[in-house]
Amino acid sequence: MDEDEKNLERLTLLIAGDDENIRIYMRMAFKSVNFKIELDEVTTRVQAMAALREKDYDCIFVDTRLADDDGLSLLRALVVAESDVPVVMMTGARDDLLAADLLQAGATDYLAKSTISSEVLERRLRNVMRLAQVEGERKAALAGLEKTRNRLQYLIDNSPAIIYSAVTSGDFKMTYVSENIYATLGFKPQEMVDDMDFWIDHIHPDDVQSLLMGIPKLLVEGGELTHEYRFQHKEGHFLWMHDTLHLVQDEQGQALELLGSMVDITARKKMEEALRKEKEEQQGLIQELKKARSQVLQNEKMAAIGQLSAGVAHEINNPVGYINSNLSSMERYVENLVDLIQLYQVAEETLQKSHPDLYALILEMQEKIDLEFIKEDIYDLVKESREGAKRVKDIVQGLKEFSHVDESEWQWADLHKGLESTLNIVHNEIKYKATVKKEFGVLPQVECLASQLNQVFMNILVNAAHAIEEQGEIILRTRHEGKEICIEISDTGKGIPEDEISRIFDPFFTSKPVGVGTGLGLSLSYSIVNKHNGRIDVESTLGKGTCFKVWLPIKHDEAG
């Protein structure tokens, strides 16, 4: 045996068929393939099944004719036995329909007996081995996934925490609840999943409002949120639950679902209540410290965002400055080049007489490149480029003024600038739906959190654009009255039904289709304006439009 033969891959094969001539021919053909073949032969289905029990084969070649049955019956028996051995079915002729039936029945490949040769067999073996390898890897991966799933399910079902998932709409319908809820709350998971309002309906009435007020922030900012509330047991009494909510989002930041983990903390709550009665003063101090710490962390976060925003604006402004400068130079160069071309054109008459061939070439090139059009269009191109660069600069400046991320404390601000920067931010949202008309009065500076007020303006402007179905108008008016200023944002949209006006500031209320908006924009806006000791008035007429009036005290600690 030479060295090459020693290095050949070894395969153990089985031929099952009644046609001795085919077996002889395949036996001879296998001698020339680039494999070291160990070959067994059987003629019946019974012999084939017995051979498979005694030896591990890398592949089985099955003739459609067997001494005691047909090859398809053997194939089906192998499928029933869950055999992992690849099967190549041998047919009498090249029949695509028959081949499709065989593959659907469980064959790995098929082979027309008239095409048998060493090359064909070797190619089939390599294909089958490759498919067998892929199938083996697939089954191993599935087995690993199933093992992991079982482990996770065991951990979930045996955890003290009740794991659940819910939709992100206002009703918070549960889509999954772990089995261990029965031991804690007496409910079966399906009872909770089937009832759309189950979660909200079983929370203690005194805890619902505080819980719902925290969720809008989670849906807007993402991350996690923890709550403690009383949940009704199936027998009627309430248990204290510690609930950690996590918002799952897609790559674009769109909310997909809420994942929750509830733990029974009733015993702990009873202990806390006893301690609270003994140390009420100390607990109050702890709460104040927590609040102060939270404010410090928020201020630090906003300061860091401000530095990042300023850096980004600076980096964008630099290349925009280069572009503006280069465009100015280019405009002068273009004017000079066009003047030079016109001088050349003055000399064309002389050139026509003295060098007619050259003159003809020049005329041909002028027509080819459409020189007259270029002379007219090039100024427009430079002008549009300069306008585009100016637009980028305005957007960057608008973003910087809009965010006011370096202003985490109450400061005096020009709200006209805030409106202008907000309009820059929502320009793409509005430009296809409405023209914006500004009727600004004279406003003093206002003591406020400018970035939060910009968020209010943005929410109302976007809602105004959405209310306009085709083309319309958005009007911004400002005025100063006594200790207050008023900012009006009105639109010519479809208006708000009278029975909905009293609900538009409720969390999760929206008149938009399912999946469009979260119903949180106006709720958050109301909260921000209320924090400023201001108010929002709404007037609306169906079919004509809506007007939002934001009233703010000039000094934030003075109510209007």
Side-chain angles (χ1 to χ4, degrees):
M1 183 183 298
D2 57 30
E3 192 63 29
D4 289 340
E5 189 175 356
K6 289 181 179 179
N7 294 330
L8 290 177
E9 184 177 354
R10 295 178 177 272
L11 297 177
T12 303
L13 307 179
L14 176 65
I15 299 176
D18 188 36
D19 191 334
E20 184 177 0
N21 291 329
I22 290 298
R23 297 201 308 276
I24 293 172
Y25 187 68
M26 291 184 68
R27 199 182 308 147
M28 296 174 61
F30 276 129
K31 291 182 179 180
S32 301
V33 298
N34 289 317
F35 289 99
K36 182 66 176 175
I37 302 296
E38 178 184 341
L39 190 62
D40 293 337
E41 300 176 20
V42 296
T43 60
T44 68
R45 181 169 69 88
V46 174
Q47 291 173 345
M49 297 301 292
L52 285 167
R53 288 193 291 270
E54 295 175 1
K55 187 183 291 187
D56 293 330
Y57 290 97
D58 295 300
C59 183
I60 309 172
F61 287 82
V62 180
D63 197 341
T64 52
R65 269 183 18 188
L66 297 173
D68 61 347
D69 212 332
D70 57 56
L72 188 57
S73 297
L74 175 56
L75 175 61
R76 290 171 177 157
L78 292 173
V79 172
V80 171
E82 298 183 352
S83 171
D84 292 331
V85 182
V87 178
V88 177
M89 295 298 298
M90 296 186 294
T91 63
R94 300 187 67 171
D95 185 336
D96 292 339
L97 292 177
L98 175 59
D101 290 341
L102 293 174
L103 294 175
Q104 188 173 6
T108 307
D109 204 346
Y110 80 99
L111 176 66
K113 289 185 278 187
S114 60
T115 64
I116 293 175
S117 66
S118 297
E119 293 79 4
V120 171
L121 287 175
E122 181 172 335
R123 189 162 56 251
R124 283 291 191 278
L125 284 173
R126 293 194 184 280
N127 288 341
V128 167
M129 293 303 104
R130 191 179 301 112
L131 288 172
Q133 180 182 2
V134 171
E135 179 64 14
E137 292 172 352
R138 185 187 71 84
K139 288 183 177 180
L142 288 176
L145 287 173
E146 181 64 17
K147 183 178 180 181
T148 301
R149 191 195 71 81
N150 290 336
R151 289 182 60 202
L152 289 175
Q153 191 62 51
Y154 174 82
L155 292 173
I156 290 173
D157 291 340
N158 290 276
S159 167
I162 299 167
I163 309 299
Y164 68 91
S165 63
V167 299
T168 57
S169 58
D171 49 33
F172 295 103
K173 181 184 183 303
M174 291 186 171
T175 55
Y176 168 81
V177 183
S178 57
E179 293 287 342
N180 55 352
I181 191 170
Y182 182 79
T184 303
L185 293 170
F187 296 102
K188 295 180 179 179
Q190 201 60 40
E191 292 181 78
M192 305 184 77
V193 172
D194 289 343
D195 186 349
M196 179 176 293
D197 300 320
F198 190 94
W199 189 58
I200 294 295
D201 288 349
H202 286 78
I203 296 174
H204 194 285
D206 293 344
D207 299 334
V208 172
Q209 187 63 28
S210 62
L211 178 61
L212 292 182
M213 288 183 66
I215 292 177
K217 181 179 178 182
L218 173 65
L219 294 179
V220 172
E221 299 182 1
E224 288 188 351
L225 189 66
T226 58
H227 285 291
E228 292 179 357
Y229 53 84
R230 286 160 288 184
F231 201 91
Q232 190 173 28
H233 192 278
K234 190 167 187 177
E235 295 178 356
H237 60 280
F238 283 90
L239 297 178
W240 275 99
M241 307 301 294
H242 179 92
D243 196 348
T244 300
L245 285 171
H246 175 78
L247 180 66
V248 179
Q249 299 170 296
D250 61 19
E251 295 178 353
Q252 288 72 40
Q254 183 67 36
L256 297 178
E257 67 173 341
L258 285 169
L259 294 182
S261 171
M262 292 195 299
V263 179
D264 180 5
I265 57 167
T266 305
R268 194 198 82 189
K269 274 292 182 180
K270 290 180 179 179
M271 294 175 62
E272 287 179 353
E273 179 64 18
L275 291 172
R276 188 192 67 79
K277 291 178 180 179
E278 295 178 3
K279 302 179 180 180
E280 185 174 358
E281 184 178 343
Q282 292 88 334
Q283 288 287 353
L285 179 60
I286 289 173
Q287 291 301 319
E288 288 298 320
L289 289 174
K290 284 183 178 180
K291 183 178 179 181
R293 178 178 178 274
S294 176
Q295 185 62 47
V296 170
L297 291 175
Q298 181 68 12
N299 290 345
E300 291 177 353
K301 180 180 73 173
M302 297 304 287
I305 294 174
Q307 293 176 357
L308 177 62
S309 176
V312 170
H314 177 72
E315 292 300 323
I316 293 177
N317 277 330
N318 282 341
V320 170
Y322 305 153
I323 293 171
N324 269 321
S325 177
N326 291 343
L327 285 173
S328 297
S329 299
M330 184 182 295
E331 189 173 23
R332 294 196 304 272
Y333 297 161
V334 166
E335 291 175 353
N336 293 337
L337 288 173
V338 171
D339 290 343
L340 180 60
I341 290 171
Q342 289 174 341
L343 284 176
Y344 285 153
Q345 287 178 318
V346 171
E348 285 181 353
E349 185 176 346
T350 302
L351 188 62
Q352 180 181 8
K353 296 176 181 179
S354 58
H355 296 84
D357 293 339
L358 178 58
Y359 176 72
L361 286 174
I362 292 174
L363 286 183
E364 181 181 353
M365 178 58 70
Q366 288 181 359
E367 293 178 0
K368 182 178 180 180
I369 67 174
D370 199 351
L371 179 61
E372 292 305 316
F373 174 77
I374 291 176
K375 287 162 59 179
E376 294 176 3
D377 191 48
I378 195 166
Y379 290 110
D380 290 338
L381 294 178
V382 173
K383 180 181 177 182
E384 290 173 2
S385 298
R386 295 190 68 175
E387 289 175 351
K390 182 178 182 301
R391 177 66 181 149
V392 172
K393 184 176 180 181
D394 291 344
I395 290 173
V396 171
Q397 182 63 28
L399 179 61
K400 183 178 179 181
E401 292 179 357
F402 172 80
S403 62
H404 285 267
V405 290
D406 55 339
E407 299 175 5
S408 57
E409 298 180 355
W410 294 85
Q411 297 187 7
W412 295 93
D414 182 348
L415 295 191
H416 282 159
K417 287 186 177 180
L419 284 168
E420 294 285 4
S421 63
T422 304
L423 284 172
N424 272 334
I425 296 300
V426 300
H427 176 71
N428 280 342
E429 193 80 28
I430 295 176
K431 65 180 181 180
Y432 299 112
K433 303 292 287 295
T435 56
V436 177
K437 183 179 180 182
K438 291 177 281 189
E439 300 177 1
F440 289 171
V442 178
L443 292 185
Q445 290 201 337
V446 175
E447 188 179 18
C448 62
L449 298 171
S451 63
Q452 294 190 14
L453 289 182
N454 287 343
Q455 183 72 40
V456 173
F457 303 151
M458 182 176 71
N459 289 338
I460 298 176
L461 284 167
V462 170
N463 281 349
H466 289 173
I468 297 172
E469 295 179 337
E470 293 183 359
Q471 284 292 324
E473 186 176 61
I474 296 175
I475 303 174
L476 276 68
R477 297 186 180 92
T478 63
R479 64 180 182 274
H480 173 203
E481 295 186 7
K483 295 182 179 181
E484 292 181 314
I485 60 97
C486 178
I487 296 171
E488 292 186 17
I489 302 175
S490 60
D491 63 70
T492 58
K494 57 188 177 182
I496 304 171
E498 185 176 353
D499 60 342
E500 292 184 2
I501 289 181
S502 61
R503 302 164 57 201
I504 61 175
F505 297 113
D506 292 348
F508 307 111
F509 175 78
T510 178
S511 60
K512 298 174 184 176
V514 175
V516 179
T518 61
L520 295 171
L522 290 179
S523 175
L524 294 175
S525 299
Y526 182 88
S527 176
I528 290 169
V529 172
N530 188 59
K531 183 195 297 185
H532 284 73
N533 292 329
R535 67 187 187 279
I536 303 179
D537 296 335
V538 185
E539 300 172 0
S540 185
T541 304
L542 279 177
K544 293 186 177 181
T546 302
C547 178
F548 282 83
K549 297 180 181 180
V550 179
W551 294 89
L552 296 167
I554 296 172
K555 188 172 177 59
H556 84 272
D557 57 358
E558 294 181 356

